[in-house]
Amino acid sequence: MKLKYISTLLLVTFILNFSSAQKKSDLEKANKKYDQLAFFEAQKLYKKLFEDGYESPEILSKLADAYYFNDELEKSNKYYTLLFEKYKESVKPEYYFRHAQTLKATGQYQKADELMATFNSFKGFDSRAKKYSDEPNYLQIIDFQSGRFIIKNAEDVNSYTSDFGTAYYDAKDKVVFATSRDTSSLINRRHTWSGQAFLELYEADETNAGELRNAKEFKGVLNTRFHESTPTFTKDGNTVYFTRNNYSEGVARQDIDGVNRLKIYKSVKKGKRWLQPVELPFNSDEYSTAHPALSPDETKLYFSSDMPGSVGYDMREKFGKSDLWVVDILEDGNYSEPRNLENVNTEGRESFPFVSSNNTLYFASTGHQGLGGLDVFASSIKPDGSVSNVVNIGSPINTQYDDFSFIINDGSKRGYFSSNRPGGIGDDDIYSFIQTEEMRKECEHLLSGTVTDKNTGAPIDGALVTVLDANNNVVGDLITKANGKFVFKLECDKQYFLRGEKREYGTDEDLFTTPSQTDYSDIPLELSKNKQALADCDDIAPLLNIKQIYFDFDKSNIRPDAAAELTKIKAFMELYPQIAVEIRSHTDSRAPDDYNDALSDRRARSTRQWLIDNGIDASRLTAKGYGERQLLNKCSNGVECTPEEHQLNRRSEFIISGLGKISNCN
C-alpha cells in the first residue's frame, strides 16, 4: 500500500515537473518569437499559455503588446486591463500610455485620461505626457477641427486583407498602393509580424470623381518576395522612392538581433522599364527607414525612422516608436545628413508623412493627442524648413482606430487615406475623400488660452474662467486644472467678454469680437495676487474700486453719491447671477450703543431696498447692522474726533457669498 502511494506520488511529481518544463519551454519559444518581432506567432504561444492557466506579468504584458503592435487595440485592451488589475505595482510607465491608447480605441476616454494623468506624473519629461497636460480639452479641440471631409470606402480596389499607402502616379491619373491580397506567386508566404501575405505594390486608375478602378499588380522589378509599400513618385513619373524589407540581390539581411528591418529604395524608369532599385545611403541594417514622401519642389525627402537621435529612441526598444526625418536631395544625386523634425516628433510613433502642393505636412501619430490608435495630423512647413504647430484634422478622417497614409490633391481637394475602422472590407481599407468647408453647419470660433500668475508666469490651478455675451449672459465657464488651460467654442462675428479670477488673486478681463469665418484664437489671462480679490469672500468694494457708501449723521437715506456707487454693485450682481451679497452697515460712536445698532440696521435695510428697487432679486440680499462695534479708527465712546474721522465709521460693506461655481470660497 505504501509502495503504491509512493509510486503515485512520484508519477504526479513527474507530470507536474514535465508540465512546468513544457510551459517554460513554450514561454522561451514565445519570447524568442516576440524578440524577433514575430508577433503573430508569439500571440498564439502566449495565448495558449494564458488559457492553460500559466499567468504572469510578463505573459500578460507581452500578449497585450503582440496585439498592440499588430494594431488590434481592442484585443490588447483585454490583456492590458488584466495586467493593471492583477499586477499594477509591476507595470512600467510606458504601459500606462499603451493601455490609455487601447482604452481610447474602445471609447473609454475618461479612463484613458486618468491613466495619462498618472503617466504624466511618472514621465513629466515625456512629450506625450506634456501634450496631455497642455491639452486636457483635446476632445473639444478635435471636435472643432472635425466635419471638413466627406469620405467613402474605395470598395472597388479594397480586398479582404490589407490595402493602404496610396501615392499619386503618372500625372495623378493613377494611384499606387500596397496590398497583401493573395493573387500572386507569394500566396503561400506569410509575414510573421501579422500572419498576412507579404505586401506588393498595385496600381489603379483614378476617375475625375476620385474613385479608383481596375486594380492590378504594378509591373516591373519593384515587387519581390518581401514587403513593398508606401511609394512616392516624382511628378514626371520617372523616379520612385518606396519601402521594402532589407533585401538586396536575393539576400535578406538582419540586424544584430535577427530582425529584418525596413529600408527606402529608389528606382529610375528607363523608357517603359524600371531599373533595379538601389537603397538610399542613410539606410541601416540596425534600424528601419520607411514611408518616403517628396516635397512639392522634389528637393527634399521626408520619411519615418527609428534611427538613433529619434525622440523616442531607446536601444532596448526594437519597435513601436519612430520619428519623422528629412534629407535634402542634392543636385549631384546625393543626400544630406538626415534631420529630425523635432517639434513634430514625440516619444510615440510618427509615420506615413505626405507633403501637399501647398507645403502642408500630413502624418500619422500615436504621440499627439488623438481619438485612439494612429490619428492623422497636419502642420505647415515654413520657408525656412521648420514646421508650425501640429493640428489633429478631426473626424471623419480620424476615429478611435488606426487612421493613416493621408494624401491630398490641393487643387481638387480630393484624396485618400487608410484605416482599419469597422465596416471595411479588409483589415486595412483605402478610403477616398473630398474636403469641403461647406459641410460645417454653422460658423464656429474656438477660443483657448492659459491662466497664469502675472508675477511668476506659472499656470494657475482652480481659476474660474467665464465667457459672457454682449448682454452679460454667461455662455460658458470652467475651472482650470493644473496647466491653467481653457477652451470654449463660440459663435462667429459676435462680441464676448472673457474673465478669469481666483481666490487671493485679482481678475483679468478681455473684450473681443470673433471673426466672421471659422477660426480659432488664443487669449492669455494673467492674474495678480490680491488679498481683497473676489474669491476672498471679503468686501467687494475694493475689487470694484467703489468708494465707501457714506450716510449723513443720524440718517439712513441713500445719498446721491452713494446711489452712484450702488449702481456698480447692481451691475456686478447682474454679471454674476449666482452670487449673494450680505450688506453690513456701520455707524460712528456718537449716540447710545442701542440707538446705533438700530440706526445701522435701518441703513443696511435701506441699502438693500435700493438694490431691490433697481432690479436685484430680494433672495440674493441680506442686511445686518453692526452699530459702532467695528470702528475703523480710534473714535470710540468719549474720544474726541473730527467730523471727517467720525464719518469714516459711517459706512456699508458688501460681503459676497453663495459663489457656487465661481470659486471654492466658503
Side-chain angles (χ1 to χ4, degrees):
M1 195 72 178
K2 183 176 180 181
L3 181 61
K4 183 178 181 181
Y5 171 76
I6 292 173
S7 298
T8 302
L9 181 62
L10 289 173
L11 179 61
V12 171
T13 302
F14 173 77
I15 292 172
L16 290 174
N17 288 339
F18 177 81
S19 177
S20 178
Q22 183 64 46
K23 288 178 180 177
K24 183 178 179 181
S25 175
D26 289 345
L27 179 59
E28 289 173 351
K29 289 178 183 177
N31 287 340
K32 184 177 181 180
K33 294 295 184 182
Y34 183 91
D35 291 339
Q36 292 174 341
L37 311 191
F39 294 125
F40 182 72
E41 295 177 16
Q43 256 175 40
K44 293 187 291 185
L45 291 168
Y46 287 128
K47 190 173 182 181
K48 180 67 165 57
L49 286 165
F50 174 77
E51 290 175 346
D52 287 345
Y54 195 51
E55 181 181 298
S56 69
E58 179 186 22
I59 289 175
L60 283 175
S61 62
K62 288 186 175 178
L63 177 54
D65 284 346
Y67 284 112
Y68 181 85
F69 292 121
N70 260 325
D71 298 321
E72 296 181 276
L73 299 188
E74 290 178 308
K75 292 181 180 179
S76 65
N77 178 63
K78 172 184 175 180
Y79 298 104
Y80 283 139
T81 299
L82 288 173
L83 177 67
F84 274 73
E85 286 177 352
K86 296 186 176 184
Y87 305 104
K88 191 173 183 178
E89 68 283 352
S90 64
V91 172
K92 297 178 181 179
E94 182 65 23
Y95 283 90
Y96 281 80
F97 175 78
R98 291 178 190 171
H99 190 20
Q101 290 291 95
T102 68
L103 286 167
K104 287 183 179 181
T106 56
Q108 301 177 74
Y109 289 100
Q110 184 173 346
K111 288 184 179 179
D113 289 347
E114 290 171 359
L115 283 184
M116 283 302 296
T118 305
F119 179 69
N120 186 37
S121 68
F122 288 153
K123 303 191 71 173
F125 58 88
D126 190 302
S127 62
R128 294 167 297 173
K130 185 176 186 302
K131 290 181 186 303
Y132 165 78
S133 177
D134 289 345
E135 299 176 0
N137 304 303
Y138 67 95
L139 291 176
Q140 291 173 268
I141 296 173
I142 293 173
D143 179 63
F144 175 76
Q145 297 292 342
S146 298
R148 303 169 190 262
F149 302 90
I150 299 174
I151 70 170
K152 181 181 179 182
N153 188 291
E155 54 189 19
D156 287 347
V157 298
N158 286 319
S159 69
Y160 64 92
T161 58
S162 186
D163 304 277
F164 70 94
T166 47
Y168 292 116
Y169 171 56
D170 199 11
K172 295 187 173 62
D173 290 332
K174 294 183 182 294
V175 166
V176 178
F177 62 96
T179 179
S180 58
R181 64 191 66 189
D182 292 336
T183 57
S184 72
S185 59
L186 308 183
I187 187 169
N188 293 320
R189 300 192 68 245
R190 293 288 185 274
H191 189 228
T192 55
W193 181 301
S194 64
Q196 290 194 357
F198 276 69
L199 294 164
E200 290 186 281
L201 296 179
Y202 267 55
E203 65 177 276
D205 298 325
E206 183 183 29
T207 70
N208 291 333
E211 297 178 340
L212 299 180
R213 299 280 190 272
N214 308 319
K216 59 185 178 181
E217 188 175 350
F218 193 80
K219 298 299 183 182
V221 298
L222 302 191
N223 286 322
T224 66
R225 299 172 58 243
F226 292 90
H227 281 307
E228 282 83 28
S229 68
T230 54
T232 182
F233 295 87
T234 53
K235 293 184 181 71
D236 61 13
N238 291 327
T239 302
V240 61
Y241 299 87
F242 65 99
T243 305
R244 175 190 281 174
N245 283 106
N246 186 1
Y247 172 82
S248 180
E249 298 180 355
V251 178
R253 298 182 179 87
Q254 299 175 332
D255 67 10
I256 193 171
D257 296 310
V259 177
N260 180 248
R261 298 285 187 168
L262 299 175
K263 288 186 175 181
I264 297 175
Y265 291 79
K266 173 185 175 182
S267 180
V268 176
K269 201 177 196 181
K270 188 174 183 180
K272 295 183 178 180
R273 183 172 63 91
W274 289 100
L275 300 182
Q276 192 65 37
V278 295
E279 66 171 271
L280 300 190
F282 48 84
N283 290 327
S284 171
D285 293 344
E286 298 303 317
Y287 55 78
S288 290
T289 56
H291 315 314
L294 284 164
S295 63
D297 61 6
E298 301 180 352
T299 63
K300 292 180 174 58
L301 187 72
Y302 294 82
F303 61 96
S304 177
S305 176
D306 58 355
M307 67 174 64
S310 298
V311 174
Y313 177 75
D314 186 338
M315 63 182 299
R316 297 166 297 181
E317 288 274 5
K318 303 182 183 68
F319 41 82
K321 298 180 178 181
S322 58
D323 275 9
L324 298 187
W325 296 76
V326 62
V327 294
D328 297 320
I329 302 175
L330 306 178
E331 291 183 1
D332 61 3
N334 290 318
Y335 304 87
S336 68
E337 289 295 317
R339 300 186 299 277
N340 187 280
L341 299 184
E342 294 179 352
N343 59 331
V344 165
N345 295 316
T346 70
E347 281 82 355
R349 176 186 172 196
E350 278 73 47
S351 57
F352 299 100
F354 172 78
V355 184
S356 71
S357 60
N358 65 7
N359 264 323
T360 299
L361 171 66
Y362 296 93
F363 64 96
S365 173
T366 62
H368 293 273
Q369 292 283 53
L371 297 175
L374 286 166
D375 271 22
V376 177
F377 296 83
S379 180
S380 296
I381 301 175
K382 301 176 183 177
D384 63 0
S386 62
V387 292
S388 65
N389 291 333
V390 172
V391 175
N392 186 306
I393 68 172
S395 64
I397 300 294
N398 290 324
T399 64
Q400 62 199 53
Y401 301 91
D402 282 328
D403 309 291
F404 57 100
S405 194
F406 179 100
I407 67 172
I408 187 172
N409 180 334
D410 285 327
S412 66
K413 300 296 183 182
R414 295 183 180 275
Y416 306 91
F417 72 100
S418 307
S419 177
N420 68 348
R421 66 189 63 189
I425 297 172
D427 294 325
D428 295 305
D429 273 15
I430 296 168
Y431 291 79
S432 65
F433 67 79
I434 182 168
Q435 183 180 26
T436 170
E437 291 294 332
E438 287 71 28
M439 280 187 61
R440 305 185 70 84
K441 295 180 180 179
E442 58 184 15
C443 184
E444 295 175 334
H445 186 85
L446 195 72
L447 170 69
S448 62
T450 307
V451 184
T452 59
D453 186 302
K454 188 173 184 178
N455 295 322
T456 67
I460 296 178
D461 184 11
L464 170 72
V465 182
T466 307
V467 179
L468 303 102
D469 62 19
N471 296 317
N472 284 332
N473 297 314
V474 176
V475 297
D477 59 16
L478 59 80
I479 303 295
T480 60
K481 296 182 180 179
N483 57 17
K485 298 286 183 178
F486 61 87
V487 59
F488 297 98
K489 187 184 291 186
L490 307 174
E491 296 181 37
C492 293
D493 199 24
K494 286 195 173 184
Q495 189 177 71
Y496 292 96
F497 182 76
L498 177 68
R499 174 189 286 270
E501 55 196 289
K502 191 191 174 182
R503 184 175 184 174
E504 296 183 357
Y505 284 89
T507 61
D508 191 15
E509 303 166 343
D510 201 310
L511 185 67
F512 64 98
T513 301
T514 55
S516 57
Q517 59 186 11
T518 296
D519 201 352
Y520 59 91
S521 61
D522 185 279
I523 299 179
L525 292 173
E526 296 180 323
L527 306 186
S528 297
K529 284 280 188 178
N530 178 3
K531 290 183 180 180
Q532 299 219 359
L534 166 64
D536 269 338
C537 292
D538 207 345
D539 188 0
I540 58 175
L543 174 70
L544 301 177
N545 196 27
I546 293 176
K547 299 175 183 178
Q548 293 288 7
I549 306 297
Y550 293 117
F551 295 90
D552 292 330
F553 176 65
D554 201 26
K555 298 285 180 66
S556 58
N557 59 295
I558 301 299
R559 302 186 339 188
D561 59 336
E565 300 303 318
L566 287 176
T567 300
K568 298 179 183 179
I569 301 292
K570 169 181 173 293
F572 182 82
M573 295 188 72
E574 290 174 340
L575 188 62
Y576 293 103
Q578 64 268 56
I579 72 166
V581 171
E582 178 190 349
I583 302 165
R584 298 178 181 177
S585 183
H586 305 269
T587 67
D588 59 33
S589 61
R590 293 176 290 181
D593 293 353
D594 291 344
Y595 179 84
N596 284 335
D597 285 342
L599 177 61
S600 63
D601 269 334
R602 292 198 302 273
R603 288 175 173 173
R605 289 197 300 271
S606 177
T607 303
R608 177 176 181 269
Q609 191 59 49
W610 187 95
L611 290 168
I612 293 171
D613 291 344
N614 284 274
I616 302 300
D617 192 292
S619 64
R620 300 173 59 198
L621 297 163
T622 57
K624 183 177 181 179
Y626 286 82
E628 59 183 85
R629 286 172 289 171
Q630 295 183 2
L631 300 175
L632 295 178
N633 52 28
K634 63 179 182 179
C635 302
S636 59
N637 292 335
V639 177
E640 186 175 343
C641 292
T642 64
E644 290 75 21
E645 289 174 320
H646 281 300
Q647 180 163 302
L648 285 175
N649 293 316
R650 300 194 300 271
R651 69 197 190 279
S652 287
E653 297 170 331
F654 302 87
I655 311 302
I656 60 174
S657 61
L659 286 174
K661 291 169 68 175
I662 288 186
S663 74
N664 295 320
C665 185
N666 296 316

